[in-house]
Structure formats: structure tokens, C-alpha cells
Amino acid sequence: MARVILQNVWKRFGDAEIVKDFSLEVPDKEFCVLVGPSGCGKSTTLRMVAGLEEVTAGDIIIGDRRVNDLPPKDRDIAMVFQNYALYPHMTVYENMAFGLKLKKFSDPEISMRVKEAAEILGIAHLLDRKPKQLSGGQRQRVAVGRAIVRKPKVFLFDEPLSNLDAKLRVQMRAELKKMHERLQSTIIYVTHDQTEAMTMGDRICIMKDGSIQQVDNPLSVYEKPDNRFVGGFIGSPPMNFMEAEVIVRGEECFLNEGMFEIAVRRRYKDNVMPYVNKKLILGIRPEDIHDKLSFTLNLKEGNVMSGMVDVVEPLGSEIFLHVNTGKNEIICRVDAHSKVQPNNIIELVVDTRKIHLFEAETGCSILQ
Amino acid sequence: MSWVHNEAFVGYCFIMPNLVGFLAFTLLPVLASLIVSFTSWDLLSPPRFVGFKNFIDIFGFSLIPEAALASWTDYLFVWQYLTPKDPGFWQYLYNTAFLMLGIPFGMICSLFIAIVMNRKLRGIMFFRTIYFLPSISSLVAVALLWRWIYNPDYGLLNALLGFIGIQGPSWLTHPLWAKISLILMGLWSGVGGTNMLLYLAALQGIPQHLYEAADIDGANALHKFMHITIPMLSPTSFFIFIMSVIGGFQGGFQSAYLMTRGGPGGATTTLEYYIYNNAFKWFSMGKASALAWFLFLVILLVTMVNWKYGGKKVHYQYI
Ligand SMILES: Nc1ncnc2c1ncn2[C@@H]1O[C@H](COP(=O)(O)OP(=O)(O)OP(=O)(O)O)[C@@H](O)[C@H]1O
Ligand SMILES: [Mg+2]
């Protein structure tokens, strides 16, 4: 009942088209993450749902109602802002109670709801403090608390964790997820951090320059990116991209990078055949490139490459190598105990089951 | 040559021009006036040390001569038999306080204009300039204008009042209306000035997202004004209030001098005016200095009280 639907929504500021033909359906109780690089229009989209920006064209539906012309207060939504937007002159209690007071709830009811929310968020002991007496994480919780006391149909989050330090972010990520489970509400969550998107979303909507690139669950987005942008945006370190020419030798199809060749699996052959003797963009994730020494799967000829190690980045759990193939600089992930040193020549094996191929001009995936 | 390399010396050299000016024209006269306040001095003959006489003359009370303090109850209510030695001083203190009644109105008007000026309208810069003009106009010109407005017979104000059938008072020659006239003129020339600019800057400094959060919380325009604008402006209001009170204690001479000469019957004479009269009309430099020091202490007190108790009600941004 509290689904959110955006139908062909446009937003223009003067001549600038900020959101272009945006259509998305968020079903009831879903945790949907809008993700994209800075300035792609995520906040603008969210603010249109909230009613803080007008829609230039298209429809926004919350529940069963078209809300284009409703003011924010009548949309039954709550929003958590990036900088929290707590009222600095009010105590934590007053901050959380403000919306309820304006809605003319009775004092005992307000008190009950605020205390309940404060319990959930672990801020019950802070109710008398002013925002300036709180740490960043505590402010963040108050901002969330202010949203949940209202028991809205839909929660809107605009980069709520971006002002927190890395550790707290991980913790709050889990807490927000738990909160979602508990409240069973619809959430639209904006972030530019692909890790947040991957870890929190039931579904991820990836945006670029105001348009949707792909909407799917995190795993599908990761494994089957619709285009080069999505492939590069989701995943850290990012997918390696290199130009490769499609060549046919006998029955077999190969991708020639210039310095090495990769055999195309039979099941992708039909996808690749139209591009024979043309260039494609080959995308390989760092974890799909292995050190030949420790690679245990059976090797097929044609998927080995070699290169010189430029940089070694040990993370403890794994090591990222920056390797120069002679034409491209690629990143690959190897075992934490690998003895590779900079300037070594290293032999690498590509897991050909996991490669991605994109059209050179459009960037669209040809494997889907 | 080593002194060239002495940073402290070079530093003092840099502040020397200002420092000399401050010492010679501010600090020295201030200290001198403290000494003068214990003397009797008419600028011509040498000052004569008189101890606390000036202060007693100003603040002192004397017994009504015919008061017969017979019983002990008379002593209990002795204040009934006291008359101030300088009734003028108390009247002028009252006048000064009365004129400060304009401060809250001035603040409200400044805020109101600032809110209007904060709109993103076409040509808003033009209106900001227009509203700012009175505060930088020569007070002499402003006073001329207002003397004409207040003229009881052919002035603008009474003409307007005449239209709606009200017989206006003779503004500048009635003890109460004269004070109110000065307050009104002060409002007119002050509201669009510095205070308005301070409010305007403060309004623009209120983060937009607070209003958006309030929108989502369900606040209407009045709620937002009462629960966000006013509290967020409190540091500015506090500052303006302190500065206005201080200005109020120190002020009132110029407009009263130009409009009413302190009259009628001293009804618009403020402490500042009284200091001027003592110093440059009656050449009692001692008494003038004593009054000036009294004023200084009052202002010091006001400032300290304000900071101690007002500071707690002031809300600053938390980031
Ligand atoms: N009121 C406005 N007038 C004109 N342009 C605007 C306005 N608001 C936003 N924009 C532009 O719209 C674009 C998208 O802004 P938006 O805030 O939605 O980006 P975002 O995806 O949320 O980025 P970030 O991750 O940095 O928050 C930006 O280029 C911005 O300059
Ligand atoms: Mg944003």
C-alpha cells in the first residue's frame, strides 16, 4: 500500500535537464537504493518524492495517490538529510517531538513515541541534550529518530551516513538495515557509495546524468551490469576495461587485447560473432584475474596473460596488484601471502566465465 | 643593526601609528576625565580638587528642610522627606530610558524589512538601497524633514490625521509627544540601516535545510517563523539589543538638539545631552566628567548582565 512510483519524471532547472525520464517502481516494504556519482540528480529525485522540489513533468505516486501537487507534510513521508538538519535550538526530545506536536498528537502519545524510538536507536539517555552536544553518530541517530516517530509510509534517506567516519558507517549500515526489518516500511535511500548500495539495498537503482542505468538486486547488478558505466561504478576496486578486437580462428573466437588473447566461451559466441574484426570493450573484475601460480581450476589455453607489477597494495586479507600489460594498466586481486614484488613479471589467468563485454560506442553490454 | 631583526620591535613599529593615536586621543582623555570628575573646572581657571562633590551633587539627596524627624517611624520612612539634589539628572535618566522604548519596535521593524528584503524579487537591490538611505543621510537634513512633518499647523502628519478627523497634538512641544516624536524619527532613520543588514545577513545564514525539515515535519509559514527563524536569529537579536541599549544610554543628543533643543522643559534631554550642557554650556567639566563615568559604569553593567543572563537563551549553529 505504500509503494512509490515515479512515472516518466523529468526535472529541469532552467535549461539544464537534471532528471530525465525517470521511471521507477518501489514496491511496499522495499529498501531501494539510488546510487550514482556526485551530481547525477539523486538528491533532486529524492526531493521530488519528498515534495521539496516540483516535478517538471511526469507523475509521482505514493500509495495509491498521485502526490505531485501535495505539500511534503501531506505525503506521509519522513526524510533524513545528509547534514541531519536537526533544529539546533531544540533538545533531542524536542527535535523528535516537533513533527508530532504540529500534528496535534497528545502529550502522552508524543512522549511514548519519542521514548520508543529513542530506545530503538539507543539514544534514550540523550533526550535532554542539544544537537551541538552530540557526536556525529548520535546526531545521525536523532535524525533517524525524528523520522521514525512519525511512523510514515515511506522513509527517504539522503546520504545519511556520508558525514560519519568509516567505522561508524559500517555500524550504522547494519543498524539501518535492522531498523528496516523491524519497521517494515518502504525506504528510498540515496548514496554515492557503491558499498552502501550493495550492502543495504533490496534493489539498487544506478543513475548517471539524470537517467537510470540499471535497476536490479545487488548481485545481478554486480554480475550482469547492463552497461560499461554500471560495471565500472559498482565494485571496488573497479572493473578493468580494455579495448579488444574480436578475431575468429577456426571454430574458436578470441578477444585480442594486443598483448594477449582471451578465448571466448562457446555460450557467448553468438553474442560476439556480429563484432568479428571489430573492437569491443572487455571488462574483467579484479577478483577474476588470478595469479597463475595459485590458480587451481583447469587451464585452457588462451586466457593467460603476463605483465609487469607496478604497485603492490597489501590489505591484509588480500593484495591488489597494479599490473601493466604493455597496453593497459589493470588491477587484480591475489592471495594475501603472495610474494610478488614491484617490477616482477607476473603471469595471470583470466576466469573466462566471468568476463564482461560492452559495445565500444554505446557501452551497452552484449552478453545480456 | 640588530634592532632591525628584532621582530617585537618591528611589530611595535607597525602598530605605532594607531597606538599613538589611541593613547593620545582616547586613553589619555579617558583617564584625564576620571581625574577631572573629582575637580571643579570651568576650562579657564585651573581645576580645583573637590573630592566626591560632583558625584554627591548628581546622585545625592537632601532632607526637606522643614521635615521634622520626630518619631522613629519618621526615620523608617525617611525617603519621604528626601529630595534629590539634582532633580534634572533623574528626569534625564528617565527620558533616556523612555526613549529606549523604541528599541523593541525598531528591532521588529528591522526584522520585518529584512524579511521582505530577503525575497528574491526583481530589483530587490534597488529597494535595499532605498531602505538603507535614511540611515546614512545627514541627521541635520533628516531633522529638517521631520520638523516639517511634525509641524502642528501645516505639517504632513497632522494633515494626514486631519483627513481621518483627528486633531493631532503639537508634536514637538508636548512633553510626552515630543519623546514619542523622537522615537518615531529614530525608527524611520534607523530601521533600514545596519540592524536591517545584520538581520538580512543572519536570515541568509539560516540553513535552508532546516526549513525543509520543518516542511516535512508539517510546519506552516507561521510555525517556521516562530520555531526556526526567531530562534535562529537569537544571536543577532541579542547583539542588536545590547548594541541598541548601549547606544540608547549614550545617545539622544543629536536628534534632540536638532528637533527640540532638549525641551519642552527638559522633556527630551537625555543623559548625553545633559553631559553636553554641563560641559559646553555651563562649563562644569567636573560634573560632566562625573556624569560620563556614571554612564560608563551603567553601560558596563548592562553589558555584563546581558552576557551573563542573555547568553544562555541564545542559540548558535551546532556545526
Ligand atoms: N536549485 C537548483 N538549480 C539549478 N541546478 C541545480 C539545483 N539543484 C541541483 N542542481 C543541479 O542538479 C544536479 C544534480 O544535483 P543533485 O543534488 O541531485 O545531485 P546528487 O546526485 O544528489 O549529487 P551528490 O551526490 O553530490 O549529492 C547538479 O548538477 C546540480 O548542480
Ligand atoms: Mg545529493
Side-chain angles (χ1 to χ4, degrees), chain A residues 322-350:
Chain A
H322 295 238
V323 178
N324 195 330
T325 65
K327 266 194 93 181
N328 289 292
E329 176 93 9
I330 60 171
I331 301 177
C332 60
R333 191 178 72 179
V334 297
D335 187 79
H337 299 286
S338 167
K339 297 280 185 292
V340 189
Q341 295 294 321
N343 296 327
N344 287 3
I345 301 293
I346 186 171
E347 294 232 278
L348 298 166
V349 182
V350 176

Side-chain angles (χ1 to χ4, degrees), chain A residues 47 83 86-87 89 132 150, chain B residues 209 212 214 217 227 315 318:
Chain A
R47 290 163 57 82
N83 39 23
L86 299 179
Y87 309 119
H89 52 285
K132 67 163 173 263
R150 307 240 322 270
Chain B
H209 56 242
E212 292 179 346
D217 269 338
H227 295 290
H315 308 295
Y318 60 87

Side-chain angles (χ1 to χ4, degrees), chain A residues 38-329:
Chain A
S38 196
C40 72
K42 310 178 294 287
S43 295
T44 307
T45 307
L46 196 72
R47 290 163 57 82
M48 285 191 290
V49 176
L52 297 172
E53 300 282 359
E54 275 187 29
V55 177
T56 310
D59 286 323
I60 295 180
I61 293 154
I62 298 178
D64 297 318
R65 251 197 321 177
R66 180 176 173 275
V67 296
N68 286 33
D69 305 317
L70 287 184
K73 66 185 165 95
D74 297 330
R75 294 189 179 197
D76 207 359
I77 45 120
M79 183 158 168
V80 177
F81 293 82
Q82 178 169 357
N83 39 23
Y84 317 136
L86 299 179
Y87 309 119
H89 52 285
M90 297 184 196
T91 62
V92 168
Y93 183 93
E94 290 163 341
N95 261 285
M96 290 166 70
F98 187 58
L100 298 176
K101 278 202 187 117
L102 294 179
K103 286 218 159 82
K104 302 260 187 314
F105 279 86
S106 70
D107 280 345
E109 170 80 11
I110 292 176
S111 165
M112 203 194 71
R113 285 204 189 189
V114 170
K115 298 232 163 83
E116 186 189 340
E119 287 302 331
I120 295 177
L121 295 163
I123 50 173
H125 59 297
L126 303 173
L127 288 177
D128 294 327
R129 299 228 194 137
K130 293 270 174 68
K132 67 163 173 263
Q133 299 163 313
L134 302 176
S135 71
Q138 290 167 336
R139 284 177 198 161
Q140 209 276 331
R141 278 162 220 256
V142 176
V144 173
R146 185 169 65 180
I148 63 180
V149 289
R150 307 240 322 270
K151 305 198 173 151
K153 282 194 213 150
V154 180
F155 285 98
L156 307 174
F157 286 87
D158 191 357
E159 310 212 18
L161 305 186
S162 59
N163 283 346
L164 303 182
D165 64 58
K167 231 184 191 145
L168 207 51
R169 218 178 299 164
V170 175
Q171 186 192 339
M172 285 307 295
R173 232 156 54 191
E175 284 187 22
L176 285 181
K177 245 179 125 165
K178 253 192 285 177
M179 187 199 86
H180 174 238
E181 227 111 273
R182 183 173 173 153
L183 298 177
Q184 293 285 313
S185 44
T186 313
I187 294 185
I188 303 181
Y189 185 103
V190 162
T191 177
H192 63 255
D193 177 11
Q194 57 91 24
T195 319
E196 255 171 53
M198 290 293 289
T199 51
M200 301 179 79
D202 294 330
R203 278 196 314 158
I204 307 181
C205 168
I206 296 134
M207 286 181 76
K208 181 195 171 200
D209 297 337
S211 356
I212 295 184
Q213 303 295 306
Q214 187 170 1
V215 186
D216 216 330
N217 63 55
L219 204 60
S220 304
V221 166
Y222 190 79
E223 291 182 339
K224 295 186 200 114
D226 276 351
N227 60 38
R228 179 179 171 171
F229 173 80
V230 174
F233 189 78
I234 300 288
S236 168
M239 187 184 277
N240 298 297
F241 294 108
M242 45 211 120
E243 271 195 346
E245 194 178 339
V246 180
I247 49 178
V248 183
R249 220 181 286 130
E251 284 292 289
E252 300 267 357
C253 222
F254 295 91
L255 294 160
N256 186 335
E257 186 253 10
M259 306 304 287
F260 62 89
E261 280 186 0
I262 288 177
V264 179
R265 297 223 148 210
R266 190 155 300 134
R267 64 178 160 124
Y268 293 145
K269 205 173 156 195
D270 288 345
N271 303 65
V272 173
M273 282 314 283
Y275 298 93
V276 172
N277 296 331
K278 290 192 193 137
K279 299 248 175 196
L280 283 176
I281 303 292
L282 169 64
I284 315 174
R285 293 208 181 271
E287 66 268 28
D288 299 327
I289 306 175
H290 303 267
D291 188 348
K292 191 178 168 192
L293 295 177
S294 56
F295 192 63
T296 47
L297 294 175
N298 63 334
L299 279 175
K300 272 181 119 192
E301 211 187 323
N303 47 14
V304 178
M305 59 167 138
S306 64
M308 183 153 80
V309 178
D310 274 345
V311 182
V312 178
E313 290 180 335
L315 293 185
S317 56
E318 59 209 7
I319 296 177
F320 290 115
L321 301 179
H322 295 238
V323 178
N324 195 330
T325 65
K327 266 194 93 181
N328 289 292
E329 176 93 9

Side-chain angles (χ1 to χ4, degrees), chain B residues 56-242:
Chain B
I56 293 168
D57 282 349
I58 296 168
F59 308 113
F61 290 82
S62 47
L63 273 177
I64 298 171
E66 61 271 25
L69 297 175
S71 69
W72 63 273
T73 46
D74 286 345
Y75 284 96
L76 210 57
F77 298 102
V78 68
W79 49 270
Q80 291 179 346
Y81 304 107
L82 293 177
T83 62
K85 286 190 177 216
D86 183 0
F89 167 76
W90 299 101
Q91 186 195 354
Y92 307 146
L93 188 61
Y94 166 78
N95 292 345
T96 308
F98 191 98
L99 289 180
M100 282 197 268
L101 291 180
I103 292 173
F105 296 105
M107 289 175 68
I108 291 168
C109 294
S110 293
L111 175 58
F112 179 76
I113 295 174
I115 287 170
V116 176
M117 294 297 140
N118 196 26
R119 304 236 131 171
K120 292 177 186 68
L121 300 176
R122 276 157 67 94
I124 195 68
M125 285 320 255
F126 174 74
F127 286 103
R128 284 185 195 165
T129 312
I130 292 282
Y131 275 84
F132 197 66
L133 271 182
S135 68
I136 49 169
S137 307
S138 150
L139 198 63
V140 177
V142 171
L144 271 178
L145 174 73
W146 279 86
R147 281 176 64 139
W148 171 72
I149 290 175
Y150 283 140
N151 185 296
D153 300 323
Y154 50 88
L156 182 67
L157 194 51
N158 277 359
L160 286 177
L161 288 175
F163 277 127
I164 51 172
I166 296 175
Q167 165 76 53
S170 58
W171 291 94
L172 294 174
T173 49
H174 181 283
L176 179 63
W177 288 116
K179 288 200 237 329
I180 290 172
S181 301
L182 290 185
I183 290 176
L184 280 180
M185 183 179 90
L187 281 182
W188 178 84
S189 60
V191 287
T194 330
N195 292 349
M196 188 274 278
L197 282 189
L198 285 170
Y199 270 132
L200 187 58
L203 282 173
Q204 292 177 349
I206 301 178
Q208 195 56 34
H209 56 242
L210 291 184
Y211 291 110
E212 292 179 346
D215 271 334
I216 287 177
D217 269 338
N220 61 27
L222 184 66
H223 293 139
K224 284 189 272 188
F225 183 74
M226 296 306 291
H227 295 290
I228 295 176
T229 309
I230 295 281
M232 291 304 286
L233 289 178
S234 61
T236 311
S237 301
F238 180 59
F239 175 77
I240 292 176
F241 183 72
I242 291 188

